[in-house]
Amino acid sequence: MQKFKWCLAPFLFAASLAFGETQIGIEGAVEWDTLEIKAAVSLDLASAGIRLPAGRTQGEAIIGSEYLRLIRPGILDLQVDSSSTIADLIERGELSLLETENIALQARAVPPALSPDLCSISAAYTLSLGGISAALLRHNRPSAILRTLIPVAAPAYTGIIIIASESLPVHGMKGATLPVPCLFPKIWDTNMNLIFERNMLEVTNAAMIRYAPVRSIFTDSPSGLSPEINAIVGDKPLRIFARGVFGINPTDPIIDSDDALLIISSEENRRLLREGRVVIVLDDSVLRSALSE
């Protein structure tokens, strides 16, 4: 794997535009359980007037020059929090398009390869959502986490798992829905006290929340957790069932106030929030979304 290097050499850009009927496209998905965007950019060689073997370098250059244009819609559509996408941040002036493009250029790339029938050439890209989260964290010091005047006795947990894999009541609305992922969900208790939000995170952490499917917390391991989840929440996590969901988009889990007290009653457990040792378990159907073009 290698870092993809964007080249804006004018002759390459002009070459890609010269083929009015060139068939080039992107396929892939946002994978919230791995916190990655995985994409493949493919070019039909005949449509670009490219013949092998001499034209292979030209085909690779066209893919390289078009990557940024093709990946941009997928990045702009990313849900940042319950009310905003990356595109919304740009429109409000909270993020520049240049910053977004710089994020896209951090993708790991596999060198282009020819298809078995030699009719097309494609390159694969992997972009970390954790890297995007880190770029959006602007605070220098984490905000204070809610405390209680009357702490309860609570074990020192190694992490927090919030199970929100089924349809939940939507706060302030009639009906229920499946919670969905975003880069910066808030966590509320049933009294609508804010328990966790992005500014409480230590900036050294790349991701505020990790997402997981139900199967990852029911494995044959001693802890019952998959190795990936165990690495985040440890062997003795606090397991919580979400009681509801909140937000313009249903991204923010609501937990019982008694469960929230177990977290905020001790410094050890509050630190779990600051360090991002939180996993939200969601339904498989919302953990993957196809890229838009």
Side-chain angles (χ1 to χ4, degrees), residues 6 9 28 117 140 166 176 179-180 182 194 213 216 228 235 267 278 280:
W6 172 248
D117 61 7
N140 294 319
E166 297 183 356
V180 297
C182 70
L194 181 60
S216 67
E228 296 80 10
D235 294 324
E267 174 58 28
V278 182
I280 299 179

Side-chain angles (χ1 to χ4, degrees), residues 69-238:
R69 177 183 66 82
L70 293 168
I71 197 69
R72 186 182 294 120
I75 295 176
L76 295 180
D77 284 345
L78 279 176
Q79 197 70 41
V80 176
D81 53 33
S82 69
S83 61
S84 301
T85 62
I86 294 287
D88 294 327
L89 298 188
I90 293 173
E91 185 175 351
R92 296 199 299 261
E94 298 174 25
L95 186 72
S96 70
L97 188 58
L98 179 59
E99 288 176 296
T100 305
E101 292 176 349
N102 287 336
I103 289 170
L105 297 181
Q106 300 305 308
R108 303 189 308 273
V110 174
L114 291 167
S115 62
D117 61 7
L118 304 181
C119 291
S120 63
I121 188 170
S122 64
Y125 301 87
T126 302
L127 182 61
S128 168
L129 296 185
I132 297 175
S133 296
L136 296 176
L137 290 172
R138 304 296 172 88
H139 59 280
N140 294 319
R141 301 177 66 180
S143 301
I145 294 171
L146 182 69
R147 301 189 181 203
T148 176
L149 295 175
I150 309 176
V152 299
Y157 296 104
T158 57
I160 300 167
I161 297 174
I162 300 175
I163 302 169
S165 55
E166 297 183 356
S167 290
L168 295 171
V170 181
H171 180 77
M173 300 178 65
K174 294 181 179 180
T177 190
L178 285 174
V180 297
C182 70
L183 295 178
F184 299 119
K186 293 181 173 73
I187 298 174
W188 307 82
D189 72 5
T190 43
N191 294 320
M192 295 313 293
N193 295 310
L194 181 60
I195 304 302
F196 190 36
E197 56 97 16
R198 75 170 86 176
N199 291 318
M200 298 174 185
L201 185 72
E202 291 181 351
V203 294
T204 54
N205 287 279
M208 173 184 171
I209 295 283
R210 307 298 177 94
Y211 293 100
V214 174
R215 62 181 177 276
S216 67
I217 60 171
F218 294 106
T219 70
D220 293 331
S221 66
S223 66
L225 305 174
S226 69
E228 296 80 10
I229 300 307
N230 186 265
I232 300 164
V233 300
D235 294 324
K236 298 178 181 179
L238 171 62

Side-chain angles (χ1 to χ4, degrees), residues 54-66:
R56 176 166 180 162
T57 300
Q58 182 185 4
E60 293 178 356
I62 292 175
I63 284 179
S65 68
E66 292 293 283

Side-chain angles (χ1 to χ4, degrees), residues 26-32 36-40 70-79 181 284-293:
I26 190 168
E27 291 185 351
V30 180
E31 299 182 358
W32 288 98
E36 292 178 328
I37 297 176
K38 293 182 179 177
L70 293 168
I71 197 69
R72 186 182 294 120
I75 295 176
L76 295 180
D77 284 345
L78 279 176
Q79 197 70 41
D284 280 357
S285 65
V286 303
L287 287 173
R288 188 179 188 277
S289 56
L291 288 179
S292 58
E293 290 192 47

Side-chain angles (χ1 to χ4, degrees), residues 12-24:
L12 290 182
F13 186 70
S16 67
L17 295 180
F19 303 105
E21 301 301 323
T22 295
Q23 297 175 22
I24 185 168

